[in-house]
């Protein structure tokens, strides 16, 4: 597993405002989108490209375009949807799949899959899993293996914040045959007794979309 933690003044500034409990949902959503674009720039560094001949207004030249098959962006519902706009702004030609997973509250590292809208065959696809929080790591491992079962061998997770316990769990449980990378804005202090990240930013889904009873 390759872990990349962004180190940039803009990321630190935006993350500070994002964490503030007084930041309204409208600003929170915009900041998530902006942070994801900054993360995506790093996460897409190794996208496959092909040489393409073009003509500029001055002369013919050889450029590069994204190779087929197109990258696949997979938000983990529901909080991952808040990151989708930032990703598609940067990679507008990417395809989008959806994966609904939720944590089993009695067994925090185990997941329940309740929705799936993905291609059956992901062979050769570069996949990007987006979810704001890497807390226990259970969702990320389950989602990555879910993609791998369909043939994906190149998976990059983009999370805004992570807990050390979650990173450790992923390192210990991810299938080593997968070319797996994680990009985060920050690694926080710890998980609390309810498996929430400390200091964290609260429930990302609730702050993006409001509380659903």
């Amino acid at each position: 597993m390759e872990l990349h933690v962004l180190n940039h003044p803009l990321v630190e500034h935006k993350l500070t405002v994002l964490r503030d409990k007084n930041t309204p949902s409208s600003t929170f959503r915009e900041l998530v989108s902006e942070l994801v674009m900054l993360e995506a720039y790093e996460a897409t560094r190794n996208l496959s490209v092909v040489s393409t001949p073009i003509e500029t207004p001055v002369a013919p030249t050889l450029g590069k375009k994204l190779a087929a098959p197109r990258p696949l962006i997979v938000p983990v519902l529901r909080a991952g949807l808040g990151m989708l706009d930032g990703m598609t702004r940067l990679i507008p030609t990417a395809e989008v799949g959806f994966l609904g997973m939720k944590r089993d509250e009695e067994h925090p590292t185990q997941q329940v899959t309740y929705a799936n809208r993905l291609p059956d065959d992901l062979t050769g696809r570069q996949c990007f899993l987006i979810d704001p929080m890497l807390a226990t790591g259970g969702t990320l491992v389950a989602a990555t293996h879910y993609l791998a079962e369909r043939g994906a061998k190149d998976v990059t997770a983009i999370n805004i914040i992570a807990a050390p316990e979650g990173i450790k769990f992923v390192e210990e449980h991810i299938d080593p045959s997968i070319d797996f990378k994680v990009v985060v804005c920050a690694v926080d202090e710890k998980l609390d007794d309810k498996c929430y990240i400390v200091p964290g930013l609260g429930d990302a889904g609730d702050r993006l979309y409001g509380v659903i009873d």
Side-chain angles (χ1 to χ4, degrees):
M1 168 180 151
E2 178 183 334
L3 174 67
H4 185 88
V5 183
L6 296 192
N7 179 19
H8 194 285
L10 282 177
V11 172
E12 293 174 350
H13 170 81
K14 293 177 188 296
L15 189 55
T16 298
V17 181
L18 194 75
R19 292 184 190 273
D20 191 334
K21 67 179 183 179
N22 296 313
T23 297
S25 289
S26 57
T27 305
F28 191 92
R29 286 192 293 269
E30 183 58 34
L31 285 168
V32 166
S33 183
E34 292 172 1
L35 283 167
V36 171
M37 289 183 70
L38 292 169
E39 289 186 278
Y41 182 80
E42 182 62 38
T44 57
R45 184 175 297 277
N46 296 317
L47 275 177
S48 299
V49 295
V50 292
S51 297
T52 304
I54 60 168
E55 289 195 18
T56 77
V58 179
T61 189
L62 200 62
K64 295 185 183 298
K65 288 187 176 181
L66 296 184
R70 290 183 285 172
L72 180 70
I73 302 168
V74 183
V76 179
L77 305 178
R78 72 177 164 131
L81 287 175
M83 303 172 70
L84 183 57
D85 180 64
M87 285 294 295
T88 53
R89 282 192 207 177
L90 197 69
I91 323 174
T93 58
E95 292 184 338
V96 178
F98 297 93
L99 186 56
M101 286 187 165
K102 61 181 180 180
R103 186 166 65 191
D104 184 335
E105 296 302 332
E106 295 184 2
H107 307 89
T109 60
Q110 297 180 23
Q111 310 303 312
V112 177
T113 301
Y114 63 88
N116 158 36
R117 186 66 174 174
L118 295 168
D120 291 331
D121 186 4
L122 297 177
T123 303
R125 302 291 292 267
Q126 291 179 287
C127 299
F128 296 89
L129 275 169
I130 53 176
D131 193 1
M133 320 292 276
L134 199 176
T136 65
T139 297
L140 182 52
V141 170
T144 302
H145 290 171
Y146 200 90
L147 300 182
E149 289 170 3
R150 286 154 178 75
K153 290 297 182 183
D154 186 337
V155 180
T156 299
I158 300 178
N159 310 104
I160 295 176
I161 59 174
E165 296 92 332
I167 293 172
K168 185 174 185 291
F169 182 87
V170 173
E171 288 176 332
E172 292 175 348
H173 292 85
I174 204 74
D175 184 339
S177 70
I178 303 169
D179 182 5
F180 182 69
K181 298 170 283 294
V182 178
V183 179
V184 299
C185 293
V187 177
D188 277 11
E189 179 185 343
K190 63 179 182 179
L191 293 177
D192 66 13
D193 56 1
K194 295 182 179 180
C195 291
Y196 281 92
I197 300 175
V198 179
L201 47 78
D203 187 297
D206 287 350
R207 296 195 66 187
L208 282 161
Y209 303 117
V211 178
I212 297 177
D213 295 327

